[in-house]
Amino acid sequence: MQTVPAFDRIGEENAFAVLARATELAAKGRDIINLGIGQPDFSTPKHIVDAAIKALKDGHHGYTPAAGIKPLREAVAADLHKRFKVNVSPGEVMIMPGGKPTMFMAIMMFGEPGADILYPDPGFPIYRSMIEFTGAKPIPVPVREENGFAFSAEETLKLITPRTRLLILNSPANPTGGVTPKSEVDKLVAGLEKHPNIAVMSDEIYDHMLYDGEQHVCLLSYPSIRDRLILLNGWSKTYAMTGWRLGYAIWPGKLYEYARKLAVNLHSCVNAPTQYAGIAALTGPQDAVTKMVAEFDKRRKVVVESLNKLPGIACATPKGAFYAFPNIKQTGWKAKPLASALLEDAGIAIIGGPDFGVLGEGYVRVSYANSTANILKALERMGEFLASRKAA
Ligand code: PLP
């Protein structure tokens, strides 16, 4: 059997492996607290679930257009206009089976041997995995603690070469919770105007999850890069819909047709009732989103305060998403052995920073998508562990 070498280069997301191990330990009767998971611990709001049930009862059982049903694409365009005052036509919106397929397609469109693709490090691991899959060279853009885990326009622009094809941005960011300020995005876009051949993929899946009065900066609001901007977004995080597999992309120009054809070849369309649920999510009441974000905000403060009391741990206050990314360098532990020992010996699932890139060493990702009571219990156990165990 001869398979193509690309499959030996493809990576994955260790968060799924940690989840599997945590579930296995819990099934054996261990008390495991999961702060590793990247999904809201809330149920999808009832009116959204009801819309999917109604769609099934109304007979929406068949294929839809590959790009998604028109009322959903219209709802996405209207939502983007309402929130960011940007004009998007429903014909630019493509409904996708989650957020991930957009990065998959975008990286496939630009990656090949000889091409460079810039991506955030630490960052969502699928970016690098897919870049390597295509044979392109992954060029990490450092995301630094001393910069509030925002990306630096200057540092990003310096990494551009004639081989650069695509720049991947993510704010609010996984795994750091970092939010890049508008002034920095302005600078970056101004710099990109000198590089008209570089496409930009902006992953804005956490755009509702901002704290301390931060306002989301949507890359669609920059006309000078609009003709080469791919926007990735979706319902997974905002509406607690990770298992529904519903996302969307805004594709510029000919990329739309490329993506539509890829969809026809790959998944045909997103399942019909889920698309109706997506309409209810965008056009219905938003109070469940507001409540969820307010709850995350409360937990964020608890997580940061509790982590900062632990020996050797220093945690900056994240401004977005639902992750804290504490610095563990003073504990003497390397991040992955610490995450592994915490799971096996203390029953706490977190993710080692290196699972998000080489610059993640010295950090761990703590998700606060769990109850305050569980967070407090987990961090108390973590304190006892650090006080009693020598670094491995
Ligand atoms: N982008 C980022 C930054 C994420 O953290 C995630 C999920 O963890 C995704 C995209 C993927 O979202 P989805 O589950 O909708 O594919």
Side-chain angles (χ1 to χ4, degrees):
M1 218 166 48
Q2 189 178 345
T3 54
V4 296
F7 283 90
D8 297 323
R9 297 194 301 263
I10 199 162
E12 58 180 321
E13 232 191 299
N14 200 37
F16 280 93
V18 171
L19 176 61
R21 181 66 184 147
T23 310
E24 192 184 350
L25 289 172
K28 285 184 187 152
R30 289 276 310 276
D31 174 20
I32 305 290
I33 303 174
N34 198 339
L35 305 184
I37 196 75
Q39 69 180 341
D41 56 317
F42 297 88
S43 299
T44 304
K46 185 176 177 301
H47 69 281
I48 302 176
V49 177
D50 287 345
I53 294 170
K54 181 173 183 309
L56 279 173
K57 289 193 171 153
D58 288 349
H60 295 290
H61 304 166
Y63 292 126
T64 77
I69 56 174
K70 194 157 175 238
L72 180 53
R73 289 185 284 113
E74 285 169 347
V76 168
D79 179 63
L80 287 169
H81 186 263
K82 187 173 81 193
R83 295 193 296 133
F84 307 120
K85 304 283 166 286
V86 292
N87 291 316
V88 172
S89 102
E92 293 172 284
V93 179
M94 188 160 303
I95 305 305
M96 308 285 284
K100 268 182 184 166
T102 298
M103 61 187 84
F104 185 95
M105 290 186 183
I107 296 167
M108 289 284 276
M109 286 181 205
F110 292 97
E112 64 176 331
D116 285 1
I117 298 184
L118 272 53
Y119 70 102
D121 181 341
F124 191 53
I126 301 305
Y127 306 143
R128 185 181 174 111
S129 159
M130 274 307 299
I131 297 167
E132 288 185 330
F133 182 68
T134 65
K137 189 167 169 198
I139 309 287
V141 176
V143 175
R144 299 182 194 281
E145 182 182 3
E146 56 270 29
N147 212 6
F149 294 119
F151 57 76
S152 144
E154 197 183 329
E155 225 171 339
T156 307
L157 292 165
K158 271 192 193 148
L159 292 167
I160 290 177
T161 71
R163 293 180 303 279
T164 309
R165 296 252 182 96
L166 176 67
L167 164 64
I168 300 174
L169 303 172
N170 174 220
S171 174
N174 178 7
T176 58
V179 173
T180 301
K182 182 170 182 305
S183 54
E184 208 59 26
V185 182
D186 288 351
K187 250 198 258 175
L188 179 73
V189 171
L192 285 172
E193 286 167 11
K194 298 188 191 93
H195 302 281
N197 294 325
I198 298 177
V200 178
M201 185 190 83
S202 183
D203 179 345
E204 302 186 10
I205 201 134
Y206 295 101
D207 66 350
H208 281 267
M209 286 157 190
L210 285 159
Y211 313 107
D212 298 335
E214 285 286 332
Q215 295 294 317
H216 181 63
V217 183
C218 178
L219 269 282
L220 285 173
S221 32
Y222 292 86
S224 67
I225 55 163
R226 188 63 201 279
D227 61 350
R228 51 195 163 113
L229 176 77
I230 302 154
L231 182 83
L232 180 162
N233 210 328
W235 286 255
S236 294
K237 316 285 173 177
T238 308
Y239 298 101
M241 291 178 73
T242 50
W244 295 69
R245 309 312 301 139
L246 185 63
Y248 69 84
I250 310 297
W251 298 98
K254 66 178 183 183
L255 302 194
Y256 192 89
E257 264 309 280
Y258 290 174
R260 192 191 60 76
K261 283 187 191 166
L262 268 175
V264 171
N265 278 268
L266 194 62
H267 58 264
S268 296
C269 63
V270 171
N271 85 70
T274 289
Q275 294 193 48
Y276 285 90
I279 299 175
L282 293 179
T283 60
Q286 301 296 305
D287 47 329
V289 180
T290 313
K291 258 196 222 153
M292 183 171 74
V293 175
E295 179 60 27
F296 279 142
D297 190 12
K298 273 194 217 149
R299 297 173 186 177
R300 174 182 73 115
K301 290 171 183 147
V302 169
V303 163
V304 172
E305 198 185 304
S306 310
L307 279 167
N308 278 322
K309 285 186 189 146
L310 302 185
I313 300 223
C315 184
T317 304
K319 290 187 178 159
F322 41 73
Y323 308 109
F325 204 59
N327 182 323
I328 58 147
K329 290 173 190 168
Q330 297 304 317
T331 65
W333 283 84
K334 289 276 185 205
K336 293 215 19 145
L338 176 62
S340 165
L342 282 170
L343 178 57
E344 299 298 328
D345 304 335
I348 311 159
I350 56 169
I351 315 286
D355 284 332
F356 303 96
V358 283
L359 290 177
E361 185 53 88
Y363 300 87
V364 292
R365 187 188 80 174
V366 177
S367 158
Y368 43 92
N370 205 325
S371 67
T372 302
N374 278 342
I375 292 168
L376 285 170
K377 194 162 132 193
L379 296 183
E380 192 183 320
R381 275 195 212 165
M382 189 165 162
E384 286 161 11
F385 176 93
L386 287 169
S388 63
R389 278 278 290 272
K390 285 238 153 40

